[in-house]
Amino acid sequence: MSVVNKMLKDLEQRESSGVTPANYQPPVKKPVPVRLLVIILVGVIAIGLMMFWPMESNTPVAQSPVVQPINQTSAAETTIPEQPQPEVAEPSPQTEPVVVGSSPQDDINQAVSATTTTTTTRTAPTEQPVVPEATASNEGLSLPVVESIPKQAPKPVIKSSSDPGKMALKAQIADAIERNNANEAIRLLKILILQQPDNIGAKKRLAALYFSEGRSEDAQRVLQDTLTQVPSDSSVRLMYARLMAQQNEQDLAYYTLKAADDYPPANIELLGFRASMAQQLGKLDDALTDYNVLVTIDARNAKWWLGQAVVADKQGERKLAIESYREAFALQSLDANIQRFIQQRLQSLTGVTP
C-alpha cells in the first residue's frame, strides 16, 4: 500500500507541475549497507548469549565432598575456559576455606582444612601456603604429613693407633710376657694382628713366642706370610733366615738373605749375618764382598774388619789381610783372646810384632 500511495503522490505532484510523463518509473531502491547487516547480526548474537549464558553458569556442578588443594585447577575452570575468573586474594592464616556441602563429614573436612592451613603458614612463612588434602576413611581422618628435613649421614669414626682399647691390649700383652704367660700373650697378639693387619712388630713378636715355645712350624708360617706381605723388610727376612739356620736349613737361610739385594739398601745386621754364613758355606768371594760393604758403611765396628781380614787371609790376599787385621786391632774393642789372635797373624804375615 505504501508503494501505491507513493505513486499517487508522485502523480499529484506532476499534475500540479504540468508535466505529464510518458511512463511512470518508481524510484530506485538503495541497497542495504553491509555494515548495517553486520551490526544487526552481532546484536542478535549478543542477545542470544545474554539469554543462554546465565542458564549455563547457574547450572550446579557436582563436586566431591573432599577438599581439594587451592593451587589446583577446578573442574568448572576446565569445562568453561571462556568464563572470566575474578582474581581471588591468597587466603590469610585466619581465613577458613570454603567447603561445598553441609553434611557433618563436610564440617569435619572444613575443620581439618583450616587447621592444616594454619600449620602450613606457621612452618613455612616464606612460601605460598598450600592446604594438603584431607581424606576420610574407615579408620578415621589421615592427618597431614609434615615432611621432615633429612638428617645427614653420620661421619665414620676412624680410630687412631692410640685408641685406648688398643693401648690397653698392648699393655695386656706386655704384662703377659712379663709374667711368662706365653699362651695368654699369643692369644692377645692374635687379636692385635686381627685389628692391625699391618703391625709387623706384633707378627715378629708372635713368631718369637712360637719359637720359644717350641712351635717352630707356627713361627715359620707367620714369618713366611709376613715376608710375602713386606718383602722389603730386612728385619723380617733376617729373622726368618735365622730360624732356618736354627733348623739346619743353611742354604735356604743364605739364599733368603741373598734375595735382599732386590730390595736395597740392605740392613747392616743382615749383611753381617749373610757374610758369616757365606764364610761358613765356603762362599768366600761373596763373603769378602759383603765385608767390604760393611767396613765402608760401619768403619768403627771391629767385627767387620776382622771378618774381612780372615777371609782375605784365606784367599791369599796378604796385603788386604794385613790392613784389615791392623784396623781391627787398633779399635781395641774385641775380646782379649781375639786381640792375641790378631797379633799372631800380623807377626806371621809381616814378621813384625805389632
Side-chain angles (χ1 to χ4, degrees):
M1 293 297 293
S2 59
V3 177
V4 175
N5 292 333
K6 184 67 175 177
M7 294 173 61
L8 292 176
K9 288 181 179 181
D10 290 341
L11 289 175
E12 289 177 358
Q13 290 178 0
R14 290 180 181 181
E15 287 177 358
S16 61
S17 62
V19 179
T20 304
N23 294 317
Y24 173 77
Q25 293 181 355
V28 181
K29 296 182 180 180
K30 297 181 179 180
V32 180
V34 177
R35 183 178 298 175
L36 179 60
L37 293 176
V38 173
I39 293 173
I40 294 173
L41 181 59
V42 172
V44 172
I45 294 174
I47 293 171
L49 288 175
M50 292 177 63
M51 292 177 64
F52 291 99
W53 185 268
M55 295 178 63
E56 293 182 358
S57 61
N58 292 333
T59 302
V61 179
Q63 298 183 1
S64 172
V66 179
V67 179
Q68 298 294 337
I70 62 174
N71 58 347
Q72 295 184 356
T73 306
S74 64
E77 294 175 346
T78 305
T79 306
I80 309 175
E82 295 84 5
Q83 181 180 0
Q85 298 293 331
E87 297 182 359
V88 181
E90 293 291 337
S92 61
Q94 292 79 15
T95 304
E96 296 183 357
V98 178
V99 182
V100 179
S102 59
S103 63
Q105 183 62 50
D106 296 333
D107 296 338
I108 295 174
N109 292 336
Q110 182 176 359
V112 174
S113 177
T115 304
T116 308
T117 305
T118 305
T119 304
T120 307
T121 305
R122 291 179 180 176
T123 55
T126 58
E127 299 180 356
Q128 181 180 358
V130 177
V131 180
E133 181 179 357
T135 59
S137 62
N138 294 331
E139 298 178 357
L141 292 175
S142 59
L143 296 178
V145 179
V146 179
E147 296 181 359
S148 60
I149 300 175
K151 297 181 179 180
Q152 296 181 353
K155 296 181 179 180
V157 179
I158 301 175
K159 294 184 179 180
S160 62
S161 58
S162 60
D163 182 69
K166 295 178 181 179
M167 295 301 295
L169 183 59
K170 291 180 180 179
Q172 293 176 20
I173 294 171
D175 181 67
I177 293 175
E178 186 177 357
R179 291 185 288 104
N180 293 325
N181 191 344
N183 292 331
E184 180 67 11
I186 289 173
R187 185 185 69 82
L188 295 174
L189 279 169
K190 288 181 178 180
I191 296 174
L192 180 60
I193 292 172
L194 287 176
Q195 295 179 357
Q196 302 178 14
D198 298 332
N199 193 330
I200 305 301
K203 294 180 179 181
K204 289 167 60 177
R205 178 163 291 187
L206 177 62
L209 285 174
Y210 276 142
F211 183 76
S212 65
E213 291 296 308
R215 301 168 61 176
S216 300
E217 294 181 358
D218 292 334
Q220 180 178 349
R221 185 183 66 255
V222 171
L223 291 174
Q224 280 181 335
D225 294 341
T226 307
L227 189 60
T228 303
Q229 181 183 0
V230 283
S232 60
D233 194 309
S234 298
S235 63
V236 176
R237 188 177 295 276
L238 176 60
M239 191 174 182
Y240 179 69
R242 283 175 172 170
L243 178 61
M244 293 296 98
Q246 289 286 341
Q247 300 297 320
N248 294 322
E249 297 286 347
Q250 304 294 334
D251 291 334
L252 178 59
Y254 176 75
Y255 287 109
T256 298
L257 296 173
K258 192 68 175 175
D261 292 339
D262 296 335
Y263 307 96
N267 184 284
I268 293 178
E269 192 175 0
L270 183 147
L271 286 175
F273 187 67
R274 188 174 72 178
S276 176
M277 290 200 66
Q279 185 177 349
Q280 294 176 14
L281 294 172
K283 301 178 183 297
L284 299 181
D285 290 338
D286 293 338
L288 192 59
T289 300
D290 285 341
Y291 280 126
N292 189 13
V293 174
L294 287 168
V295 298
T296 302
I297 61 179
D298 189 16
R300 300 298 301 174
N301 194 328
K303 291 190 303 181
W304 312 141
W305 288 109
L306 178 61
Q308 181 172 263
V310 171
V311 174
D313 196 358
K314 290 183 177 180
Q315 289 282 81
E317 296 186 18
R318 180 172 175 273
K319 181 178 180 181
L320 180 60
I322 294 173
E323 291 177 354
S324 299
Y325 279 131
R326 285 176 177 174
E327 290 289 343
F329 185 81
L331 291 173
Q332 294 293 318
S333 59
L334 298 174
D335 185 74
N337 294 328
I338 297 177
Q339 290 289 89
R340 284 193 296 269
F341 169 77
I342 294 174
Q343 289 178 340
Q344 293 174 0
R345 291 307 305 158
L346 285 174
Q347 185 178 3
S348 176
L349 292 172
T350 61
V352 180
T353 302

